């Protein structure tokens, strides 16, 4: 049985003996001696792969320190995670099964990752000035790679546990099926470890690595989730970025609500990426009034915490004429997910400015109120038919109230089920939405919609909050 | 103030659609309302002779005599890609317009593409084609193959 070469750190911690530099001999597993030259030549280690070597640690810490100095995180602490090479994890598991190695060091039974974190924490604190803790927004993940033993380790395991290395059939059908070594992952090693017996473990050969590990690291701050409600006062502003197959040309567009709000927050927080989600959306020519539509923004890897929410709100509202944000506050990821749940059950309230080809009859308009609630059947509107399947949807109108304006115009206020195409209900969409408003008022007349506003999106948002903190009539500025 | 704003509004149709007719169209050919997203609404042209008569029936089952016709009103399309829709060439007949005086006018698609939907209301109320030509009396919906409208005559400018 060949001896196992260890670095001075592992010698001391695990084997329990001090490694004598330049001495005549050092003891190994079976009494065979290694030469002084070999001992002095390397700090190579079959257990830690050199990752615990103080010079190596210092180098990695210096790299991290440089990255931290060049970035703008306003956090004073961090959480450290280490990813070790698969081969190293395999060895640790095998060592556990061996009682013949004479490991009598005080830290012999301590898991490697604890020894490793211990080795790095001090150096990282010195290099970065950030305090390592168990709980922080900032995450430092250092990954060590060493593929030198991937093949021999795989061969060893294939010999003893061939059933764990069956390539899934789906991968075999690819033009170039991946090599068998790709199945050797940390998870695979840990699952094999439970089946590992001492006799098999004794057959393993602890080769000494000839290369140092390649280290890389990633600094990432936990995402911040913001919730609020937005109002859109322009009839020429899309909610989301303009896409190629939306209808062209109703005017020059300078960004969208989502882009403008996200850009603003991104600049304030120095995040890498921002993601905007809202509870439904309105067309470019439809205003969003009332308290506003619920939305959430995710700030990915923000560098700076944002100042107080009311300050941000005021600044957003001062910056953009046509957008107003209210009720802004921070929420958890789970809370932000609520936005997408139960879309079907939400109710929306609208006001529509309508035109009637025949003279408006106030009696017929008043009668509308009693026709609700009613169910519509809407075929996919012509204007979205390009990118949606052709189906017929039942939708409910819960309330209607019409107000005459002049001989041919009236205002309709209505509350509908989520997903109702209100414009198509008013003008009938070539008769494909039945009944249409014309059908209900006077089938002989044609009714058209001139303007549409969303008055209310019925959702308690931000969650767990009193949504009507400052009731604002019809979206007028504060 | 309100009245000025209101009277300057264009109709939904004018705001969202462009009127076209096929190249070299005859009086008996269809007209189109084209949506910018691509979908085309087929309607009766203002020059069609049937407008002056009474339409008794709109028959979507063309080619009955030869026993190999497809009843366009019976087709169903599936999915975003509108699979199952009849593939049309400009000469493909969409329907047969039968008038009270016995005259029959086949209506050609006028464009290359897929037939998405026909107006089944015309089966029970054929006169809608005359009384509500651009609304409830539309004939069919077509998804053109490519940029078909660029070769057509834009009628909107002349209105």
């Amino acid at each position: 049985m060949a001896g196992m070469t260890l670095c001075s750190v592992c010698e001391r911690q695990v084997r329990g003996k001090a490694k004598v530099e330049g001495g005549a001999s050092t003891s190994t597993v079976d009494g065979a001696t290694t030469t002084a030259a070999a001992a002095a030549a390397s700090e190579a280690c079959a257990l830690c792969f050199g990752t615990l070597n103080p010079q190596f640690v210092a180098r990695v810490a210096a790299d991290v320190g440089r990255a931290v100095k060049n970035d703008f995180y306003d956090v004073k602490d961090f959480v450290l995670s280490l990813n070790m090479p698969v081969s190293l994890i395999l060895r640790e598991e095998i060592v556990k099964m061996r009682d013949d190695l004479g490991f009598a060091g005080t830290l012999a039974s301590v898991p490697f990752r604890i020894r490793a974190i211990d080795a790095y924490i001090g150096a990282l604190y010195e290099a970065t000035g950030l305090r390592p803790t168990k709980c922080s927004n900032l995450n430092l993940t250092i990954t060590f790679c060493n593929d030198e033993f991937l093949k021999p380790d795989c061969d060893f395991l294939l010999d003893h546990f061939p059933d764990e290395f069956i390539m899934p059939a789906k991968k075999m059908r690819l033009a170039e099926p991946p090599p068998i070594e790709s199945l050797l992952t940390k998870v695979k090693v840990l699952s094999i470890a439970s089946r590992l017996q001492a006799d098999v473990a004794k057959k393993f050969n602890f080769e000494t690595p000839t290369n140092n590990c390649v280290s890389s690291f990633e600094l990432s701050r936990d995402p911040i989730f913001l919730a609020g409600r937005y109002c859109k006062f322009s009839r020429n502003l899309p909610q989301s970025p303009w896409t190629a197959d939306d209808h062209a040309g109703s005017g020059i567009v300078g960004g969208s609500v989502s882009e403008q709000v996200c850009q603003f927050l991104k600049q304030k927080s120095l995040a890498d990426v921002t993601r905007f989600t809202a509870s439904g959306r309105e067309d470019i020519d439809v205003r969003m009034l009332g308290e506003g539509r619920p939305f959430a923004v995710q700030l990915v890897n923000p560098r700076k915490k944002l100042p107080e929410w009311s300050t941000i709100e005021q600044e957003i509202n001062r910056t953009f004429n046509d957008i107003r944000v209210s009720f802004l506050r921070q929420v958890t990821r789970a809370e932000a997910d609520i936005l997408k749940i139960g879309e079907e059950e939400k109710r929306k309230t609208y006001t529509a400015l309508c035109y009637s080809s025949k003279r408006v009859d106030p009696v017929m308009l008043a009668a509308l109120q009693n026709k609700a609630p009613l169910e519509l059947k809407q075929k996919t509107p012509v204007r979205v038919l390009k990118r949606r399947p052709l189906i017929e949807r039942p939708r409910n109108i819960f309330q209607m109230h019409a107000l005459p304006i002049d001989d041919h115009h009236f205002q309709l206020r209505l509350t509908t089920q989520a997903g109702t195409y209100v414009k198509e209900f008013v003008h009938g969409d070539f008769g494909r939405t039945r009944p249409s408003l014309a059908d209900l008022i006077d089938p002989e007349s044609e009714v058209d919609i001139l303007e549409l506003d969303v008055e209310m999106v019925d959702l308690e948002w931000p969650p767990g909050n009193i949504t009507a903190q400052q009731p604002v009539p019809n979206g007028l500025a504060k | 103030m309100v009245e000025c704003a209101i009277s300057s509004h264009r109709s939904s149709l004018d705001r969202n659609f462009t009127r076209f007719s096929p190249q070299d169209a005859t009086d008996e050919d269809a007209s189109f309302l084209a949506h910018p997203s691509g979908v085309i609404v087929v309607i009766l042209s203002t020059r069609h002779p049937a407008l002056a008569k009474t339409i008794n029936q709109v028959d979507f089952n063309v080619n009955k005599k030869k026993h190999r016709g497809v009843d366009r009103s019976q087709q169903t399309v599936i999915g975003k890609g509108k699979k199952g829709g009849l593939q049309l060439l400009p000469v493909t007949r969409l329907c047969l317009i039968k008038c009270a005086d016995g005259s029959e006018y086949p209506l050609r698609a006028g464009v290359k593409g897929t037939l998405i939907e026909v107006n089944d209301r015309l089966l029970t109320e054929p006169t809608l084609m005359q009384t509500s030509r651009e609304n409830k009396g539309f004939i069919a919906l077509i998804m053109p193959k490519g940029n078909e409208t660029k070769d057509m005559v834009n009628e909107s400018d002349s209105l």
Side-chain angles (χ1 to χ4, degrees):
Chain A
M1 189 66 66
M4 185 158 49
T5 313
L6 299 182
C7 66
S8 20
V9 178
C10 291
E11 279 282 355
R12 197 183 58 238
Q13 292 182 346
V14 172
R15 205 173 255 159
K17 299 186 195 319
K19 193 166 191 176
V20 179
E21 297 255 13
S25 69
T26 55
S27 57
T28 58
V29 171
D30 52 358
T33 57
T34 56
T35 62
S42 73
E43 279 286 338
C45 180
L47 263 194
C48 78
F49 285 26
T51 53
L52 300 186
N53 179 332
Q55 278 116 324
F56 185 81
V57 170
R59 234 188 22 243
V60 171
D63 286 345
V64 174
R66 260 193 305 277
V68 166
K69 280 188 175 51
N70 287 336
D71 215 324
F72 304 99
Y73 290 102
D74 64 350
V75 192
K76 291 286 160 267
D77 46 36
F78 72 100
V79 174
L80 176 64
S81 313
L82 297 176
N83 287 330
M84 311 308 299
V86 178
S87 301
L88 194 150
I89 296 172
L90 175 62
R91 278 141 196 253
E92 192 185 0
E93 294 298 320
I94 292 186
V95 161
K96 279 189 200 162
M97 291 281 124
R98 302 269 296 256
D99 49 6
D100 60 326
L101 295 172
F103 284 170
T106 46
L107 297 186
S109 53
V110 169
F112 178 77
R113 68 165 193 286
I114 297 197
R115 291 202 290 132
I117 289 190
D118 203 58
Y120 278 88
I121 281 193
L124 285 171
Y125 178 53
E126 290 219 10
T128 64
L130 299 175
R131 202 171 42 89
T133 77
K134 278 204 168 54
C135 184
S136 164
N137 285 335
L138 187 58
N139 302 295
L140 172 64
T141 309
I142 308 182
T143 305
F144 299 108
C145 268
N146 190 330
D147 287 343
E148 213 179 319
F149 303 120
L150 211 50
K151 184 128 189 5
D153 287 348
C154 225
D155 290 341
F156 175 82
L157 291 172
L158 269 168
D159 270 343
H160 300 281
F161 305 97
D163 51 320
E164 295 270 1
F165 288 86
I166 303 174
M167 184 71 72
K170 215 159 94 164
K171 296 236 166 81
M172 288 303 275
R173 280 191 240 125
L174 292 173
E176 284 182 30
I180 203 82
E181 283 85 19
S182 66
L183 286 175
L184 186 58
T185 62
K186 175 176 170 182
V187 172
K188 179 68 76 181
V189 165
L190 293 174
S191 83
I192 292 180
S194 56
R195 298 171 51 189
L196 195 58
Q197 305 279 15
D199 55 338
V200 171
K202 285 201 170 83
K203 298 196 184 124
F204 187 80
N205 196 1
F206 287 90
E207 302 256 353
T208 313
T210 53
N211 305 321
N212 264 338
C213 285
V214 174
S215 76
S216 60
F217 63 90
E218 194 191 316
L219 264 176
S220 159
R221 198 210 192 120
D222 287 343
I224 294 181
F225 294 89
L226 292 179
R229 299 183 88 111
Y230 75 86
C231 291
K232 176 169 90 81
F233 302 128
S234 162
R235 291 201 187 280
N236 203 9
L237 182 63
Q239 188 230 48
S240 332
W242 204 229
T243 47
D245 55 36
D246 288 354
H247 358 149
S250 30
I252 309 157
V253 172
S256 58
V257 173
S258 73
E259 284 168 307
Q260 293 191 23
V261 171
C262 281
Q263 187 61 20
F264 180 90
L265 292 170
K266 187 172 170 181
Q267 277 170 356
K268 285 279 164 192
S269 68
L270 297 177
D272 281 340
V273 168
T274 49
R275 291 186 192 127
F276 182 93
T277 37
S279 171
R281 62 174 193 271
E282 60 283 334
D283 289 341
I284 181 176
D285 59 346
V286 174
R287 294 188 303 181
M288 180 67 231
L289 307 178
E291 288 186 334
R293 184 181 298 275
F295 74 92
V297 176
Q298 177 183 2
L299 305 172
V300 175
N301 202 8
R303 305 302 197 274
K304 285 181 153 41
K305 230 165 97 70
L306 291 167
E308 214 228 311
W309 306 120
S310 56
T311 319
I312 303 224
E313 252 181 49
Q314 281 171 24
E315 209 181 316
I316 294 184
N317 296 334
R318 266 202 311 271
T319 314
F320 302 114
N321 278 335
D322 299 322
I323 302 171
R324 200 186 65 204
V325 166
S326 330
F327 309 116
L328 197 61
R329 56 171 262 243
Q330 188 165 354
V331 291
T332 63
R333 183 192 289 267
E335 286 171 322
D337 286 342
I338 295 176
L339 261 192
K340 287 300 171 192
I341 302 173
E343 274 292 310
E344 291 279 300
E345 290 122 44
K346 313 265 168 57
R347 294 184 174 209
K348 321 274 165 101
T349 303
Y350 302 87
T351 41
L353 177 59
C354 304
Y355 166 85
S356 166
S357 60
K358 283 176 75 169
R359 266 181 100 102
V360 157
D361 180 353
V363 172
M364 301 297 277
L365 284 190
L368 259 187
Q369 209 170 344
N370 300 323
K371 302 217 163 124
L374 71 130
E375 190 185 76
L376 308 174
K377 295 239 186 323
Q378 298 197 289
K379 289 197 185 142
T380 309
V382 172
R383 63 185 167 99
V384 299
L385 199 47
K386 168 91 187 188
R387 48 198 161 90
R388 307 260 174 84
L390 172 62
I391 54 180
E392 192 169 62
R393 304 167 182 76
R395 284 287 181 268
N396 288 309
I397 310 261
F398 299 114
Q399 276 181 16
M400 281 189 292
H401 186 91
L403 202 66
I405 294 178
D406 66 21
D407 283 346
H408 289 278
H409 299 91
F410 61 96
Q411 185 189 67
L412 179 69
R413 183 178 217 99
L414 66 163
T415 302
T416 72
Q417 180 183 0
T420 309
Y421 288 97
V422 176
K423 291 177 180 173
E424 274 68 22
F425 166 61
V426 173
H427 64 59
D429 190 36
F430 302 97
R432 299 165 70 249
T433 289
R434 304 173 202 175
S436 72
L437 195 54
D439 294 338
L440 295 172
I441 300 178
D442 182 356
E444 307 267 304
S445 117
E446 291 197 350
V447 178
D448 198 3
I449 184 169
L450 304 181
E451 284 178 3
L452 182 63
D453 293 332
V454 189
E455 297 288 346
M456 186 187 66
V457 173
D458 182 19
L459 172 67
E460 194 195 311
W461 188 264
N465 200 21
I466 323 122
T467 51
Q469 289 166 337
Q470 294 165 327
V472 177
N474 281 347
L476 295 172
K478 283 191 233 190
Chain B
M1 286 175 303
V2 174
E3 283 168 31
C4 290
I6 291 176
S7 58
S8 68
H9 279 103
R10 297 187 297 156
S11 73
S12 280
L13 204 61
D14 290 333
R15 290 201 305 268
N16 294 312
F17 292 88
T18 315
R19 294 181 175 81
F20 284 103
S21 45
Q23 280 272 5
D24 309 320
T26 67
D27 285 350
E28 294 176 22
D29 277 321
S31 283
F32 301 126
L33 299 171
H35 191 267
S37 68
V39 176
I40 287 179
V41 185
V42 181
I43 57 175
L44 206 58
S45 129
T46 48
R47 297 177 301 267
H48 202 285
L51 273 179
K53 307 182 182 181
T54 309
I55 299 178
N56 269 359
Q57 188 196 6
V58 177
D59 192 352
F60 285 105
N61 192 359
V62 305
N63 283 337
K64 254 186 307 212
K65 278 182 272 185
K66 299 183 191 168
H67 294 296
R68 53 182 175 89
V70 170
D71 189 342
R72 286 95 168 92
S73 67
Q74 298 305 310
Q75 77 162 30
T76 46
V77 293
I78 299 179
K80 261 194 268 195
K82 319 297 183 289
K83 288 206 173 87
L86 186 67
Q87 296 306 307
L88 304 167
L89 290 174
V91 298
T92 313
R93 294 175 180 191
L94 291 176
C95 63
L96 214 48
I97 303 175
K98 299 179 180 169
C99 298
D101 69 351
S103 49
E104 294 189 354
Y105 300 96
L107 190 79
R108 304 192 292 183
V111 71
K112 190 170 181 182
T114 308
L115 180 64
I116 303 173
E117 178 184 318
V118 303
N119 186 359
D120 56 2
R121 222 166 181 163
L122 293 176
L123 294 174
T124 47
E125 299 171 63
T127 49
L128 279 178
M129 214 190 243
Q130 304 165 280
T131 56
S132 188
R133 188 182 63 93
E134 284 188 330
N135 194 336
K136 293 184 195 166
F138 83 100
I139 300 171
L141 300 178
I142 294 180
M143 182 77 74
K145 185 105 168 69
N147 193 2
E148 302 295 320
T149 53
K150 73 177 185 339
D151 297 325
M152 293 190 194
V153 177
N154 188 329
E155 286 184 19
S156 288
D157 305 329
S158 55
L159 281 171

